[in-house]
Amino acid sequence: MIDNLPGDRPAGHWSRRRLLAVGGTGLAGALWLAGGPLTTASAETGFDALRERSRTLHLGPPFDASAEPYRTALETLISTATRYAADFAPRPGALWPDLDYVDPDPDTDQESYGYSARVSSSYTRLLTLAEAYVRPDTAMTGDAAVLDRVLTGLDQLEAEVYGADRPRFGNWWDFQIGSPQRLGSTAALIFDHLTDDQRTRYAAAIERFVPDSAVADYTGTSTGANRVDLCRAILGGALLTGNAARMAVARDALSPVFPYVTTGDGYYADGSFIQHTTVPYIGGYGSALIDGLGWAFSLLTGSEWEVTDPNRELFLDTIDLATAPFIMNGLMMDHVSGRGISRSGSGEFGRGTPVLGAIAVIAKGVDAERAARWRSMIKGWLVRNDVRPPLADPRQSLVRLSNLKAIMDDATVKPAAEPVEHRVFGSMDRVTHRRPGWAAGISMASRRIAYYEVGNGENLRGWHTGSGWLQWWTDATIGQFSDAFWPTVDPYRLAGTTTSLKPLPNGAGGDWGAARPDSVWVGGCTDGEFGAAGQDLRGLQSTLRARKSWFSIDEGIVCLGAGIGSTDGHEVDSMIENRQVADDAAGLVVDGTPLALTDGAPARLRRPHWAHLEGHAGYLFPAPVRVTALDQRRTGRWRDINNGGPTDAITRRYVALYVDHGVDPDAAGYAYVILPGATAERTEELAAPEQRGRLTITANTAAVQGIEVDHLGLTAANFWEPAGVGALAASGPASVLVRRDDDRTALICVSDPTRSGTGLTITWDHPVASVISKPDTVTKITTGDRLVIEFAPLTDQAGGTQQIQVRLS
């Protein structure tokens, strides 16, 4: 029955896709769907079998409804469906009182976007009701009144707004992806209760709004994750009427997604993923792409429309190459999540868990070694996630819970530790640095990559997330960005950034990643464990210029800034830190003395040597620098940064350290080292005079920035122009890192972040006996008293690291 079940859930939650799996070249002979193997026998090729498979993909395998985590998740589903059923009140233009969808002035303005979104939301609610109706052993199973609501709703939407003779309005996404996918899933669940006429009309509606031409050309809104979603919509409609031609169109239209790209949307060879042409997006559209491809592969395997393109193996490689590097302890890093960071119901863990569930299913259809590695990876993420444990989260789908719980319950699967690595994603201006117990990410912008993404009224104040934002986590502070961080943090003062305090309007620079700086020197190099990164910073709608470098080493990150100048008429700040802390947390300790701060009042520190924020990090100041400290409680609302967000006021406390360069600085700079997770004792120890030779800043100018770290045998420099520093010299712009090993070998790592069309010569003033290995980009090497490496133009290397191994004399 549909009466007297408590509870509610936000509209649209159960629109999340339920299950993924992958099949094809290089995979096991049998592809596993939700709970067991699906063979590729010829008997599985009919449309009836594919429709049943579609249901299985949505509902998952049988489970014990009385056992957790299923019991709570099922109760949540039924309580949500109960409310939808109780509130169902169809009238012309609406199925529910709060979801009127007929646009009185249909066009593509913001008001029309709202109406089209309510079309998708109406289908979402009908899908929830359909799932509650067909799931066994619930209070709504087989309830004729529930089925009647679903059928009534589908017919009314088709007649009034989503029919073959209806016009499109508002957001294209609602008509080509959101609504047709939900319609297809709903129809698959209750297929036997639909008449032939209903199936024909619903399929015609999908074909009207998602015609073959929508996937004819790989361009515009038909690329990357959007292309996969369009194909999924086509498949859902084709299943309704057994349209073999449309099945083939969808299958074939997936192929352009697989190859790595060199421009625009999609996966890149270095692990980058771009959507909307200029936005790093593995945490949003990348997740949707994984989900959609897995669904399509699972649906079609063994049928005459099975995806046989050999390039789909490239998709499997992206799990390790492009997805896993941005997951830590189950969260998906904000700096690759576009405008999604401004959504109140999402967050890093909210975006991470669906990806874990997707990989869990994909792992059922790959080779044993890769499957074992992925399951261990997932179990490690699950075990360490004590902020929002997926198996205790009733918002997760029942299929996802089933797959993740199976891994947790498998004693043969050992949790993998987080990797120790450094990655440079030159094609999307992102860097990750992973160390035992902590991780960091650097977010930059260039001619190729946007400062930030704003669109659909979302992420209105993300202006400076590409201005050198340094995002970092420790095992103890893994939830740093998951507790209303974005509506309460000062958007002008993100850690790691250098910004002008010139006021910016909401959405400054334009929608969909339109705002990009005229900068080409953005990127870095790595030996795989440590790395150098740099950004020729140009301020958003500002005259601000700066040369910024990060050298990621064993215990922390060395941050250098030089050539900082502006004529905006406003203060310019370089943010050392801006950390959200608990109201009762200890504040800063500076040079061993607790710092007494008044809420909201900046305090200038007197040439500090070190500072420490309890439970978070230590900070070293190896050169004199004017540091300001700030402890303040900030109040904001999600609505401030997202037009669809809640209006409730939220207050959080932040402790900040920054360098105030003053108004209109000229040739200003900074130098500091951040030590994530370090104790106060360790910070003080590293700041002691006898430790200062451990790290040497060899240069910090607008021409070159560099360091030497003796105990690591590491020398690194970012050359903004032809220059020399210490034992290193470059004939042009370059990022260089040299790592000496105890076995008398050395690895020289070089990149050209500018991708210039000229050659490059790197000189290392150190005796070298011979060359062990080199890439094809090297045209000449001279050894002896010093090493001279000549490179051909590195334009086609996409900022990638060139590694030369040598034997020392």
Side-chain angles (χ1 to χ4, degrees):
M1 300 299 293
I2 61 174
D3 299 328
N4 303 320
L5 285 178
D8 193 15
R9 184 189 267 177
H13 175 82
W14 284 93
S15 66
R16 303 295 297 182
R17 290 181 278 264
R18 295 309 201 263
L19 180 68
L20 318 183
V22 174
T25 300
L27 304 186
L31 181 74
W32 288 68
L33 286 179
L38 173 65
T39 65
T40 57
S42 59
E44 290 286 332
T45 59
F47 275 102
D48 287 341
L50 290 179
R51 294 183 193 107
E52 184 57 35
R53 191 179 294 178
S54 177
R55 284 170 54 95
T56 302
L57 285 167
H58 189 91
L59 298 175
F63 54 81
D64 182 356
S66 64
E68 293 292 1
Y70 311 114
R71 181 180 63 82
T72 300
L74 191 59
E75 287 176 354
T76 304
L77 166 66
I78 298 306
S79 65
T80 302
T82 297
R83 182 180 174 220
Y84 291 165
D87 293 346
F88 186 78
R91 59 174 171 79
L95 299 177
W96 282 272
D98 61 331
L99 289 182
D100 54 314
Y101 50 70
V102 173
D103 189 348
D105 185 20
D107 51 29
T108 56
D109 63 10
Q110 200 61 42
E111 185 180 22
S112 290
Y113 267 50
Y115 283 107
S116 68
R118 290 191 281 276
V119 177
S120 293
S121 294
S122 297
Y123 276 116
T124 294
R125 294 187 183 183
L126 293 176
L127 177 58
T128 302
L129 290 174
E131 181 175 349
Y133 173 79
V134 301
R135 279 204 176 276
D137 303 321
T138 77
M140 303 181 82
T141 305
D143 190 323
V146 175
L147 177 62
D148 181 68
R149 284 163 169 75
V150 176
L151 295 172
T152 298
L154 291 177
D155 279 341
Q156 181 168 319
L157 288 171
E158 187 271 333
E160 293 185 340
V161 70
Y162 201 80
D165 59 347
R166 301 287 87 195
R168 193 176 97 181
F169 57 86
N171 191 342
W172 72 270
W173 184 92
D174 290 303
F175 277 83
Q176 292 199 297
I177 293 175
S179 292
Q181 283 193 9
R182 291 154 176 78
L183 170 57
S185 295
T186 302
L189 291 178
I190 62 166
F191 183 84
D192 291 340
H193 299 282
L194 299 175
T195 66
D196 288 341
D197 178 65
Q198 287 173 315
R199 297 167 188 165
T200 299
R201 285 188 285 112
Y202 302 160
I206 293 175
E207 187 165 2
R208 151 81 172 94
F209 294 110
V210 197
D212 294 358
S213 60
V215 293
D217 297 312
Y218 198 67
T219 187
T221 58
S222 188
T223 61
N226 285 334
R227 166 58 69 93
V228 175
D229 276 337
L230 290 168
C231 291
R232 183 169 180 174
I234 292 172
L235 289 170
L239 287 178
L240 276 169
T241 56
N243 189 327
R246 289 271 285 173
M247 297 287 289
V249 165
R251 186 261 326 274
D252 295 343
L254 292 173
S255 286
V257 177
F258 304 142
Y260 297 148
V261 301
T262 56
T263 60
D265 293 351
Y267 288 105
Y268 289 69
D270 67 358
S272 298
F273 179 84
I274 297 294
Q275 192 77 35
H276 294 164
T277 308
T278 62
V279 184
Y281 237 137
I282 194 63
Y285 285 92
S287 174
L289 188 148
I290 294 170
D291 185 18
L293 279 181
W295 181 89
F297 289 171
S298 299
L299 177 73
L300 300 176
T301 189
S303 75
E304 65 180 278
W305 301 284
E306 181 171 3
V307 180
T308 57
D309 188 331
N311 280 333
R312 59 185 175 169
E313 181 71 15
L314 296 174
F315 165 66
L316 296 180
D317 292 340
T318 65
I319 301 300
D320 293 302
L321 182 69
T323 302
F326 296 99
I327 299 176
M328 179 186 180
N329 296 357
L331 64 78
M332 173 62 76
M333 299 178 182
D334 272 345
H335 69 142
V336 287
S337 299
R339 71 188 190 278
I341 63 175
S342 71
R343 295 170 185 160
S344 62
S346 181
E348 291 188 315
F349 288 99
R351 290 189 300 275
T353 299
V355 179
L356 269 59
I359 299 173
V361 177
I362 295 171
K364 296 176 180 180
V366 300
D367 60 272
E369 186 277 330
R370 185 153 39 185
R373 183 175 70 253
W374 289 354
R375 291 187 182 111
S376 292
M377 202 163 56
I378 292 168
K379 193 165 191 175
W381 291 331
L382 292 172
V383 167
R384 292 187 296 273
N385 181 354
D386 58 2
V387 174
R388 187 171 158 183
L391 297 184
D393 185 355
R395 292 171 292 186
Q396 300 304 323
S397 73
L398 290 157
V399 168
R400 185 176 302 135
L401 289 172
S402 174
N403 285 297
L404 295 179
K405 189 173 188 301
I407 290 174
M408 283 294 289
D409 290 347
D410 188 344
T412 68
V413 177
K414 306 303 179 185
E418 290 290 345
V420 174
E421 65 177 14
H422 187 93
R423 295 282 303 275
V424 178
F425 299 89
S427 296
M428 64 178 183
D429 295 347
R430 296 295 186 267
V431 170
T432 58
H433 188 56
R434 313 292 290 263
R435 300 297 297 168
W438 63 276
I442 301 170
S443 175
M444 302 171 286
S446 67
R447 284 182 184 173
R448 303 176 300 273
I449 300 300
Y451 288 106
Y452 77 115
E453 184 194 41
V454 60
N456 290 343
E458 297 182 306
N459 202 29
L460 299 171
R461 299 177 185 174
W463 312 301
H464 299 303
T465 49
S467 297
W469 174 37
L470 175 58
Q471 186 181 20
W472 61 269
W473 312 256
T474 66
D475 288 341
T477 62
I478 195 67
Q480 169 66 198
F481 304 98
S482 298
D483 182 19
F485 179 86
W486 290 107
T488 56
V489 73
D490 186 339
Y492 293 93
R493 287 176 164 161
L494 300 177
T497 63
T498 296
T499 58
S500 167
L501 299 191
K502 173 186 175 181
L504 293 173
N506 285 352
D511 286 358
W512 313 118
R516 287 177 286 165
D518 187 24
S519 301
V520 294
W521 205 124
V522 177
C525 68
T526 179
D527 69 344
E529 183 178 8
F530 305 130
Q535 178 179 19
D536 180 14
L537 176 68
R538 319 276 178 105
L540 173 62
Q541 295 186 353
S542 167
T543 60
L544 174 67
R545 292 287 301 273
R547 297 279 170 81
K548 297 171 67 69
S549 288
W550 299 265
F551 299 98
S552 299
I553 53 177
D554 52 348
E555 293 189 67
I557 301 175
V558 183
C559 306
L560 303 180
I564 300 171
S566 172
T567 57
D568 286 348
H570 292 272
E571 178 182 321
V572 172
D573 291 341
S574 290
M575 297 304 301
I576 300 166
E577 189 58 274
N578 197 6
R579 203 75 173 159
Q580 188 184 102
V581 300
D583 286 339
D584 59 352
L588 285 164
V589 172
V590 179
D591 292 336
T593 302
L595 188 64
L597 294 172
T598 301
D599 185 18
R604 179 68 56 81
L605 308 183
R606 291 182 176 271
R607 297 185 68 164
H609 295 294
W610 64 275
H612 186 263
L613 182 59
E614 181 65 32
H616 291 266
Y619 309 88
L620 305 178
F621 306 106
V625 63
R626 299 190 307 173
V627 177
T628 300
L630 180 64
D631 189 330
Q632 66 175 160
R633 286 161 177 80
R634 291 182 50 82
T635 298
R637 299 161 178 79
W638 285 104
R639 182 63 62 85
D640 296 337
I641 62 173
N642 188 313
N643 288 339
T647 58
D648 312 72
I650 308 168
T651 300
R652 295 292 184 269
R653 178 188 172 199
Y654 290 84
V655 173
L657 288 168
Y658 60 95
V659 180
D660 178 355
H661 301 294
V663 175
D664 291 347
D666 180 30
Y670 62 81
Y672 63 90
V673 183
I674 183 170
L675 306 170
T679 64
E681 292 75 16
R682 181 57 175 164
T683 305
E684 183 176 18
E685 178 184 358
L686 291 174
E690 58 268 23
Q691 291 286 336
R692 289 177 187 168
R694 182 182 175 93
L695 165 68
T696 302
I697 296 174
T698 56
N700 188 19
T701 72
V704 59
Q705 294 167 312
I707 66 167
E708 288 186 359
V709 187
D710 282 346
H711 71 280
L712 298 177
L714 184 147
T715 301
N718 286 329
F719 296 92
W720 303 100
E721 57 191 55
V725 55
L728 287 175
S731 66
S735 182
V736 182
L737 182 148
V738 178
R739 184 89 179 274
R740 301 178 302 280
D741 206 341
D742 292 337
D743 64 358
R744 300 295 298 167
T745 64
L747 187 67
I748 298 90
C749 307
V750 179
S751 75
D752 176 6
T754 69
R755 309 182 187 191
S756 67
T758 60
L760 176 67
T761 300
I762 301 296
T763 302
W764 182 34
D765 192 7
H766 193 289
V768 171
S770 61
V771 176
I772 299 172
S773 64
K774 62 181 179 65
D776 293 339
T777 53
V778 172
T779 59
K780 181 180 179 181
I781 291 186
T782 303
T783 59
D785 291 341
R786 62 177 182 170
L787 179 71
V788 180
I789 310 171
E790 298 180 31
F791 291 92
L794 298 175
T795 308
D796 296 336
Q797 301 305 307
T801 298
Q802 312 300 299
Q803 294 187 340
I804 300 93
Q805 188 177 26
V806 299
R807 191 168 305 282
L808 303 178
S809 298

